[in-house]
Amino acid sequence: MMIPSNYLLPLLSVLLLSASATTSASLLDNFSKCLSVNSELYVPSSTFFSQNNSSFSSILGSSAQNLRYLVPSMPKPEFIFTPLHEVHVQAAVICCKELGVHLRVRSGGHDYEGLSYVSETETPFIIVDLAKLRSVKVDIDDNSAWVQAGATIGEVYYRISEKSKTHGFPAGLCTSLGVGGHITGGAYGSMMRKYGLGADNVVDARIVDASGRILDREAMGEDFFWAIRGGGGASFGVILAWKIKLVPVPATVTVFTVTKTLEQGATKLLHRWQEVADKLDEDLFIRVIIQVANAGPKGEKTVTTSYNSLFLGDAERLLKVVEESFPELGLTKKDCTETSWIKSVLYIAGYPSNTPPEVLLQGKSLFKNYFKAKSDFVEDPIPETALEGLWKRLLGEDSPLMIWTPYGGMMSKISESEIPFPHRKGTLFKIQYVSTWQDGEKNATKHIDWIRRLYNYMGPYVSMLPRAAYVNYRDLDLGMNKNGSSFIKSSVWGYKYFKDNFNRLVKVKTKVDPDNFFRHEQSIPPLPLCSEHCLD
């Protein structure tokens, strides 16, 4: 008997879904059996979330920051595993290898291209979500803390402040960043001009390598330890914990935000900021947040530039420093708020005033959007005429955002090769470009095309050869690994993120993960069938 063709398609869909469900169930069954054999500690069934589990979607979306990668058309993991102990992670790596399953690891879900929870290049894949591994042990006497990878940087800041009002850590401004991935890319923040990056202040780590071993700094060796501090996430192993070095902060710090519109002389002031921002006192961090708002004289659309600042000292000294080095800002005592370091973290992160620091323990993001982002580094001031062209482009987009982050200070004193993060001396500031939207896939192409055109426009005014980029502002427009990875293809984006440090990263990868077990769309490639002398 012939089946009418109009019945075949739904029938085929049902069969495929049924086969997929069977595959997922058998894979999960095999994986859990393998874990029980390879883990020293019991693995409860409550740590697994398969696609037919009622909590699957909420767990998948729990820390995913870019909603573009949660739309129905995006590939989904066969299941999510939420380990409770380090040995569970170790066993997961061993079992993924044994079963030939691709692994994605998520600590905070902030990967800009969703690479910690989506694989567009490999199936089947699973997610190991480190959200349950979030202990923070602060040792004030040793000026250090051991921090598990699933903790947010906000939790770290809070736990430090709980023990001391005069200790801090120089890392991210966004408090929901997962510590595991954040530090692998560098981790910059409002104290970078004083103390460098988070990755510059790491003294030890624990990692599961491609062989399933748990290694600390001594066991992994200095090359491996060098690579994981700024060489990008998920290329070398699964970070379990970092030992961070605490830094001194004053009991009183000062914050301010001064906003100027185009009509209030924003163009000339921003040009002046470019000339002085990297040369200011290293206790002073002034970034510029550039947006579009209905803030013109008659309520019309205009560009706003907000000078958002942390000063490691009191308002009196701050006013003297600004008067000497950047008087054009017109800063007054009324603009300044003296506060504690932990409350300055909330201020810079955008929390409403009077928000209690305990909110940091929730580990929740203030902002979840559909977005596309890009980055640049600037070595010479962008001329006013180019800024005028930039304003026209920003005014043509619905919700554009640019953040200009000043360098100089300690960032200029640390060698380009000290860790893989190479953007040091000679960099005036970094640009982050963002376009956000709320209507899902509907108009995504329009916004992505806009930011690509803006990026092309900025080409003549930013770093060249390579046109550098920040690895934690992941941008797949720069290139992708497909069907494995090759040194030639990967070097296109590799040199943008890491400059000449890319070569050393490839050497380390070839040594510690020659079979490329830890891989994703922009992971560091190993050299095929090649000994270390290939890059000498």
Side-chain angles (χ1 to χ4, degrees):
M1 176 181 119
M2 288 194 63
I3 300 174
S5 60
N6 59 326
Y7 286 103
L8 282 173
L9 205 55
L11 181 62
L12 189 59
S13 298
V14 169
L15 288 170
L16 285 171
L17 283 170
S18 170
S20 171
T22 305
T23 304
S24 294
S26 58
L27 178 59
L28 178 52
D29 187 48
N30 289 339
F31 188 80
S32 61
K33 284 175 183 170
C34 179
L35 283 186
S36 65
V37 171
N38 287 283
S39 174
E40 293 172 17
L41 295 173
Y42 172 68
V43 184
S45 59
S46 58
T47 56
F48 298 102
F49 299 89
S50 63
Q51 292 186 11
N52 57 11
N53 184 302
S54 60
S55 300
F56 177 82
S57 294
S58 64
I59 296 293
L60 180 62
S62 59
S63 64
Q65 298 300 307
N66 194 341
L67 300 180
R68 277 172 60 207
Y69 292 98
L70 289 180
V71 297
S73 60
M74 280 291 165
K76 304 293 184 286
E78 299 298 312
F79 57 87
I80 301 166
F81 175 46
T82 56
L84 305 177
H85 305 282
E86 287 189 348
V87 290
H88 289 173
V89 183
Q90 180 182 30
V93 169
I94 292 167
C95 292
C96 282
K97 269 192 111 166
E98 275 189 24
L99 299 171
V101 183
H102 185 58
L103 171 68
R104 294 288 161 122
V105 181
R106 181 166 75 177
S107 56
H110 275 258
D111 189 288
Y112 274 22
E113 299 280 19
L115 300 189
S116 60
Y117 49 97
V118 171
S119 171
E120 295 188 74
T121 55
E122 308 210 27
T123 54
F125 74 98
I126 69 163
I127 295 173
V128 172
D129 189 320
L130 304 177
K132 299 275 172 54
L133 297 175
R134 57 194 319 135
S135 85
V136 180
K137 294 178 180 171
V138 178
D139 184 342
I140 293 297
D141 292 336
D142 188 49
N143 286 314
S144 69
W146 269 107
V147 181
Q148 283 191 308
T152 64
I153 198 66
E155 288 175 88
V156 176
Y157 295 155
Y158 181 86
R159 294 302 180 201
I160 294 169
S161 74
E162 217 178 17
K163 295 282 183 78
S164 167
K165 304 305 174 199
T166 54
H167 287 76
F169 183 64
L173 306 110
C174 171
T175 57
S176 58
L177 291 158
V179 172
H182 179 45
I183 290 176
T184 62
Y188 80 90
S190 54
M191 295 198 292
M192 61 189 277
R193 303 188 67 253
K194 178 76 170 182
Y195 295 117
L197 306 170
D200 293 322
N201 291 276
V202 167
V203 293
D204 205 343
R206 289 174 64 78
I207 189 170
V208 180
D209 75 353
S211 300
R213 299 174 299 174
I214 295 179
L215 308 174
D216 62 7
R217 178 176 183 172
E218 186 180 2
M220 75 179 84
E222 288 305 298
D223 280 348
F224 199 162
F225 185 62
W226 173 86
I228 61 176
R229 291 171 298 143
S235 282
F236 302 98
V238 182
I239 301 293
L240 297 171
W242 299 105
K243 186 180 183 184
I244 59 173
K245 180 178 68 180
L246 308 184
V247 300
V249 296
T252 299
V253 303
T254 307
V255 294
F256 69 80
T257 303
V258 171
T259 299
K260 302 286 184 185
T261 64
L262 296 186
E263 295 76 14
Q264 295 168 327
T267 307
K268 284 196 179 302
L269 185 61
L270 187 61
H271 189 265
R272 180 61 182 152
W273 175 89
Q274 294 181 83
E275 295 174 330
V276 302
D278 69 308
K279 302 171 189 68
L280 297 172
D281 187 305
E282 63 184 26
D283 286 336
L284 179 57
F285 171 89
I286 308 177
R287 65 174 178 165
V288 189
I289 301 168
I290 304 171
Q291 294 172 290
V292 166
N294 295 321
K298 296 175 183 175
E300 70 272 29
K301 204 172 178 185
T302 187
V303 175
T304 62
T305 58
S306 295
Y307 293 80
N308 181 234
S309 176
L310 168 69
F311 179 67
L312 297 172
D314 61 27
E316 187 181 351
R317 187 163 80 87
L318 167 62
L319 288 164
K320 284 179 187 167
V321 168
V322 173
E323 181 56 39
E324 284 172 15
S325 49
F326 191 23
E328 297 85 353
L329 184 60
L331 187 70
T332 66
K333 178 119 183 167
K334 194 173 75 174
D335 298 318
C336 303
T337 302
E338 291 186 337
T339 188
S340 62
W341 174 74
I342 192 63
K343 288 189 176 173
S344 80
V345 164
L346 297 170
Y347 178 88
I348 295 286
Y351 284 92
S353 58
N354 301 320
T355 302
E358 285 69 26
V359 73
L360 297 173
L361 297 177
Q362 295 174 13
K364 287 184 180 167
S365 172
L366 284 181
F367 312 102
K368 282 194 178 191
N369 290 295
Y370 298 87
F371 72 88
K372 173 65 184 170
K374 296 176 108 41
S375 63
D376 263 319
F377 290 87
V378 178
E379 296 170 343
D380 296 291
I382 299 168
E384 287 184 37
T385 51
L387 295 178
E388 300 283 2
L390 174 60
W391 307 148
K392 286 177 190 165
R393 285 160 175 81
L394 292 177
L395 288 165
E397 175 63 344
D398 299 340
S399 297
L401 169 68
M402 292 178 77
I403 301 177
W404 294 18
T405 300
Y407 274 53
M410 181 57 79
M411 292 299 290
S412 294
K413 298 171 189 172
I414 298 171
S415 156
E416 278 196 3
S417 58
E418 181 69 23
I419 63 171
F421 178 98
H423 317 289
R424 304 286 188 173
K425 192 175 181 183
T427 299
L428 301 183
F429 60 96
K430 174 176 62 193
I431 297 177
Q432 178 179 194
Y433 312 86
V434 186
S435 177
T436 64
W437 60 97
Q438 292 298 326
D439 52 3
E441 295 179 275
K442 190 177 168 189
N443 290 305
T445 302
K446 179 184 96 167
H447 300 292
I448 292 169
D449 285 348
W450 175 83
I451 201 169
R452 286 171 177 164
R453 290 194 303 273
L454 178 66
Y455 185 74
N456 289 340
Y457 169 77
M458 293 295 288
Y461 311 111
V462 297
S463 62
M464 299 180 190
L465 301 172
R467 182 175 181 176
Y470 178 40
V471 69
N472 269 1
Y473 294 157
R474 180 88 59 196
D475 182 4
L476 293 183
D477 288 351
L478 303 181
M480 282 172 61
N481 298 325
K482 289 178 183 172
N483 304 319
S485 56
S486 77
F487 175 78
I488 301 297
K489 285 183 180 174
S490 301
S491 63
V492 174
W493 49 262
Y495 286 114
K496 290 175 183 290
Y497 290 143
F498 308 113
K499 299 187 181 178
D500 288 341
N501 293 335
F502 180 64
N503 291 336
R504 186 175 171 191
L505 288 168
V506 170
K507 286 177 74 171
V508 175
K509 173 73 170 182
T510 305
K511 185 175 181 182
V512 305
D513 185 15
D515 298 326
N516 204 23
F517 174 73
F518 293 109
R519 63 189 182 276
H520 55 74
E521 287 80 347
Q522 281 189 345
S523 54
I524 303 294
L527 290 170
L529 303 172
C530 181
S531 58
E532 287 185 36
H533 69 266
C534 293
L535 280 175
D536 289 342

